[in-house]
Amino acid sequence: MSWISVEKAEKLKQKFENLTIEENNGYLTVETPKENLINLLKTLKEDPEYQFKMFIDFTIIDHDTKSNPRFQGVYILYSPQYKERIIIKTWAINEELPTLTTLWTGAKWAEREAYDMFGIKFEGHENLVRMFMWENYPYYPLRKDFPLKGYEEVELPSLNEEERGDQLEGLFNYSRMHTAIPTLQDLEITQKARMPKKSSQIVLNWGPLHPGTHGTIWFLFDLDGEYVQKCDIIIGQLHRGVEKIAENIGYQQFIPYTDRMDYIASINENHAYVIAAEKLMDIHDKIPEKAKWIRTLMAELSRINSHLLWLGTYALDLGALTMFLYTFREREKIMDIFEGITGARFTINYFRIGGVFADLPYGALDAIESFIKELPKRVDDYERLLTRNRIWVSRNKDICVITEEDVYDYGLTGAVARASGVPYDLRKIDPYDMYTEVDFDIPVGDKGDSYDRYLVRMEEIRQSSKIVHQCIEKLRKFSKNDPYFFQSEDPKKLKISIDGRGMKLPQGEVYASTDNPRGELGFYIFNKKAGIKPYRVRIRSGAFYNLQIFTKAIIGRPIADAITLLSTLDPVVGETDR
C-alpha cells in the first residue's frame, strides 16, 4: 500500500484554499482550515480520482497549553480503489470540530473518545457522551496537563487502620488519597445518557460481568418483546490509559504494555508497535532477514492461537462443549512452544524495535514443524463437527449480516471485513517483515453473515499454517551466527539497543499497522522533536471499531443472536478499552 502522491495531493489546491501539504519519510499529510474540513473530506470520499471511502481512524494531538489553537485533529482514510492512505489534519477552534458522522458512521465512537479524553466538542454529533469514563468525571485524561497518576482527591483509608491506627509503618505505609472511582449513581447517570430515548419500559442489561461477553463489556438493549430496537455499549471498565503511559516512558520499555492490550494475541500487538517505530526511524528495511522471518513465524502462530481460543469459546457460547476442549488441546501445544522460545506463555514481549530479543532455541523449529503437520487434520475434525451441523448452521447462517458498505462506513477490518467480501489484509496490501516472500490466500465471504465470519476464520487457520511452514523452511537455512537484531552503522547518530537505553526516535510522524487476529492494529507516533519518549502515541484498535458495528447489526434481531454476533466479531476488551 502506498500513501497518496504529492502530485495527486497538490491537485486538491485547485479546489481548496489554504491547504498545506507535507511529506515526511514517505507519509503525506494535508492540513486544512476547520471551515474547509467537511467539504475536503467529502471530495476525498466521493471524487472518482480519490475515492477515500474507508474510514480508518481519528484522533487528537494536544500541543500543550502554550499553543493557540491547542488541539489538532488527525484523520486517516483509505482508498480501496487505489490502495492508498492519506492523513488529513485540522485545528480545533475553541476546542470544537465538525462531526464526521454525516460522512462515516464509524466516526461516532472516535469522536466520543476524543471528547472523553481531550474535551473536544463536535458540532452536529447526535449524542456526544463519554466513551470510557463515566458521565460525571470532570477531567480529560489524555491532555498534557493531566498527571500520569491522575488527581488523588478521594480518601480511602486502609482496613489495617482499624487495628494499627493511623501510624502505619513499613509495608502498611501508604497514601490515604486515591483517584476517584464511579459510584452507583454515576453509573446510573451514565447508563441513561447512553440511551436517552428508549421505546420500551425496560432496557435489558447484558454484562459487564457475564461469561458471554468475554470480558467487562456492558450492553444495553431496548427491546420489543425479544427483538432489539436500540442498542448501545458501555466500555471502559478495563481502561488502562496505555496511550498516556506510552508518552511517559522509553520506546522499548513500552513493548510489554502493548501485549497487555490483546492478551490473546500479545505477539501481534508487539509486532504492530515495533513496525511503526522502525518505520519512523527509517530502519525497517534494514532489519536482519532472520529477525523478520522469526517475527513472521511467531505472528502467524499467534494468529492460530487466537483463532483457536475464538473457536472454542464461540462454540461453547452456542452450546458445543466438546469443541472448547479440542481447541484448548491444540492451544496448549502452541503455548508450550511460546514458553520454550520466549519464556512466557500468555503476555509475551519477545519482539524488539530492531529485531527480536533472542534467537530461536535449539529444537524450536522441530517442535513447531511437528505441531503444524498435525494441525490441518485437527481443523478438519472441527469442521466435521460444526460446519454442516444443522444446529450450528441455524444459529449462524443469515444471522446479523454486515455489508460491504458497512465495512467502509465503520472502518471494519480483519476477518469481519473479509467475511463481507472486502479483501482488506495488510499482509498483502501493505506487506511488512517477510510477508512479501510467503505464499498465502485471503479468504473472503460473499454474504457477510455470522456463518461467513466463521468460515473465514477457519480458512485463516489453514493459511497461517501454510505461512508457518514456509517460515520454517527459510529459517532452517540460517546459521546460529546470523544476526537477529539491527546493528547501527554509527551508534552515535542512531543508537538502538535491546534494552532501549539511550535510544531516541527522530522528529516526525508515522502511521503503521499490521493485520492482527482482531483486525488492523495501527500506531500513530508523532514527535515534535527527537527524544527518548514519544510526544503522542495513538493506538488504532481493530477490536474497538469492529465492536461498534454490533450496535447496528443487532437491530431487529432476537436477543439470542447477540451472543452469536459478539462471538463472530471477536473483540478483546483490553484492546477496546486500552
Side-chain angles (χ1 to χ4, degrees):
M1 183 197 305
S2 62
W3 289 74
I4 185 173
S5 66
V6 175
E7 295 75 22
K8 200 170 178 179
E10 286 285 346
K11 290 183 179 180
L12 292 168
K13 290 184 175 180
Q14 299 172 8
K15 298 181 180 180
F16 300 95
E17 297 179 350
N18 302 319
L19 290 187
T20 303
I21 298 172
E22 291 185 10
E23 188 178 19
N24 178 46
N25 199 21
Y27 300 89
L28 189 141
T29 62
V30 177
E31 186 174 319
T32 182
K34 172 188 168 183
E35 57 269 20
N36 292 341
L37 177 66
I38 295 301
N39 287 335
L40 173 61
L41 294 176
K42 186 177 176 65
T43 298
L44 288 170
K45 180 182 180 182
E46 298 175 356
D47 192 310
E49 191 174 354
Y50 297 98
Q51 295 192 45
F52 286 96
K53 63 180 182 179
M54 185 170 180
F55 177 78
I56 297 296
D57 198 21
F58 164 69
T59 191
I60 294 290
I61 299 174
D62 179 3
H63 288 268
D64 215 338
T65 54
K66 296 178 182 178
S67 175
N68 186 23
R70 176 178 175 179
F71 299 101
Q72 189 177 33
V74 180
Y75 305 82
I76 305 175
L77 307 175
Y78 171 69
S79 169
Q81 176 68 28
Y82 300 107
K83 294 183 171 57
E84 294 176 338
R85 282 186 182 137
I86 189 172
I87 292 179
I88 304 296
K89 291 184 177 181
T90 194
W91 291 94
I93 307 301
N94 298 323
E95 300 184 5
E96 291 186 351
L97 285 171
T99 183
L100 261 65
T101 53
T102 54
L103 294 173
W104 292 281
T105 313
K108 180 180 179 180
W109 276 19
E111 290 177 358
R112 280 173 50 182
E113 181 178 345
Y115 166 67
D116 192 11
M117 296 290 108
F118 294 94
I120 304 300
K121 294 181 174 62
F122 292 88
E123 303 150 359
H125 195 286
E126 62 178 15
N127 187 27
L128 191 61
V129 293
R130 311 285 302 225
M131 191 72 240
F132 301 109
M133 312 303 288
W134 59 98
E135 285 304 309
N136 291 341
Y137 190 70
Y139 307 114
Y140 305 107
L142 285 184
R143 288 189 173 192
K144 286 296 181 181
D145 51 2
F146 184 87
L148 182 60
K149 61 180 181 179
Y151 292 105
E152 297 177 332
E153 53 192 11
V154 177
E155 187 175 6
L156 291 174
S158 168
L159 295 176
N160 293 305
E161 293 185 14
E162 294 295 328
E163 297 181 4
R164 298 175 179 270
D166 289 334
Q167 301 300 317
L168 302 180
E169 299 176 358
L171 295 176
F172 297 110
N173 189 13
Y174 83 115
S175 171
R176 295 170 59 94
M177 303 305 293
H178 293 260
T179 55
I181 56 175
T183 64
L184 290 176
Q185 184 180 13
D186 291 330
L187 296 178
E188 184 177 352
I189 293 171
T190 300
Q191 180 188 14
K192 289 180 178 179
R194 299 298 170 88
M195 198 172 287
K197 297 179 182 178
K198 57 182 183 179
S199 56
S200 66
Q201 291 184 334
I202 296 177
V203 173
L204 177 67
N205 289 267
W206 182 31
L209 298 175
H210 187 284
T213 62
H214 297 256
T216 48
I217 313 179
W218 182 0
F219 294 85
L220 305 174
F221 298 109
D222 189 0
L223 300 175
D224 179 9
E226 64 175 306
Y227 291 87
V228 179
Q229 302 301 306
K230 296 178 183 177
C231 173
D232 205 348
I233 306 173
I234 301 176
I235 61 176
Q237 289 89 1
L238 207 61
H239 183 55
R240 302 170 175 193
V242 175
E243 293 180 12
K244 186 83 170 182
I245 293 171
E247 296 165 10
N248 287 273
I249 60 174
Y251 291 93
Q252 296 283 37
Q253 281 69 39
F254 178 60
I255 295 175
Y257 289 92
T258 66
D259 54 68
R260 268 75 178 171
M261 293 191 304
D262 186 349
Y263 30 77
I264 309 302
S266 55
I267 287 175
N268 303 97
E269 304 286 299
N270 300 163
H271 205 181
Y273 173 66
V274 300
I275 294 290
E278 288 169 359
K279 287 187 174 181
L280 182 57
M281 300 176 80
D282 197 23
I283 63 167
H284 182 61
D285 293 336
K286 304 171 187 176
I287 303 300
E289 277 198 18
K290 187 178 187 180
K292 288 185 175 182
W293 280 111
I294 292 173
R295 295 200 306 204
T296 305
L297 168 78
M298 295 292 282
E300 291 307 309
L301 280 174
S302 183
R303 183 185 302 274
I304 295 169
N305 188 36
S306 176
H307 282 358
L308 288 172
L309 178 65
W310 157 79
L311 179 61
T313 54
Y314 172 29
L316 184 63
D317 286 339
L318 298 189
L321 172 62
T322 309
M323 185 57 58
F324 178 81
L325 302 176
Y326 285 172
T327 57
F328 265 63
R329 175 189 60 194
E330 315 315 327
R331 191 167 180 267
E332 281 298 306
K333 295 175 183 177
I334 295 181
M335 295 178 79
D336 286 343
I337 291 169
F338 286 164
E339 184 178 16
I341 295 173
T342 71
R345 298 172 64 84
F346 199 56
T347 47
I348 301 164
N349 47 89
Y350 174 61
F351 292 1
R352 292 290 185 275
I353 300 168
V356 293
F357 176 74
D359 200 353
L360 294 176
Y362 177 79
L365 292 178
D366 292 335
I368 297 170
E369 188 171 39
S370 176
F371 168 77
I372 220 68
K373 283 182 178 178
E374 288 295 319
L375 184 62
K377 299 176 185 176
R378 303 301 185 191
V379 178
D380 290 342
D381 291 341
Y382 305 157
E383 290 233 60
R384 275 193 289 272
L385 284 169
L386 293 179
T387 302
R388 297 190 179 182
N389 181 298
R390 61 183 180 180
I391 299 174
W392 185 259
V393 172
S394 67
R395 289 299 305 274
N396 286 280
K397 204 162 184 60
D398 299 324
I399 303 299
C400 299
V401 173
I402 297 172
T403 67
E404 180 180 345
E405 285 308 309
D406 288 334
V407 171
Y408 303 137
D409 195 28
Y410 282 82
L412 308 180
T413 53
V416 176
R418 295 189 279 270
S420 297
V422 180
Y424 186 81
D425 191 324
L426 293 166
R427 296 172 297 174
K428 287 282 192 182
I429 61 179
D430 188 17
Y432 47 94
D433 279 349
M434 301 311 293
Y435 284 107
T436 54
E437 304 296 320
V438 294
D439 175 45
F440 68 102
D441 298 318
I442 304 175
V444 294
D446 56 10
K447 182 176 286 189
D449 59 1
S450 295
Y451 194 64
D452 273 353
R453 292 189 284 277
Y454 156 72
L455 291 175
V456 162
R457 285 194 181 91
M458 294 300 287
E459 183 58 29
E460 280 193 7
I461 295 175
R462 292 189 170 93
Q463 294 300 320
S464 291
S465 301
K466 185 178 176 182
I467 295 172
V468 170
H469 181 72
Q470 294 171 73
C471 291
I472 292 171
E473 290 184 341
K474 290 289 185 179
L475 283 166
R476 289 197 185 280
K477 297 177 182 179
F478 289 94
S479 73
K480 278 292 177 184
N481 297 323
D482 288 316
Y484 54 84
F485 193 80
F486 174 79
Q487 296 296 323
S488 176
E489 295 178 359
D490 188 352
K492 291 183 179 180
K493 289 185 177 180
L494 183 64
K495 182 178 181 179
I496 300 185
S497 58
I498 288 179
D499 62 10
R501 292 179 183 174
M503 192 172 80
K504 291 184 178 181
L505 261 67
Q507 177 184 355
E509 63 186 320
V510 68
Y511 175 77
S513 53
T514 60
D515 195 274
N516 278 21
R518 261 146 289 284
E520 177 175 349
L521 177 69
F523 282 83
Y524 173 72
I525 303 175
F526 173 83
N527 280 339
K528 281 189 172 183
K529 59 182 180 180
I532 60 174
K533 300 175 184 178
Y535 184 81
R536 172 76 174 111
V537 172
R538 161 66 176 177
I539 303 170
R540 191 270 180 204
S541 164
F544 177 79
Y545 283 108
N546 287 355
L547 180 60
Q548 188 178 186
I549 193 64
F550 185 100
T551 60
K552 178 186 178 183
I554 196 61
I555 302 302
R557 302 298 310 178
I559 191 66
D561 288 343
I563 191 73
T564 300
L565 175 58
L566 184 63
S567 294
T568 56
L569 294 178
D570 190 29
V572 164
V573 184
E575 190 184 287
T576 62
D577 286 14
R578 283 162 285 132

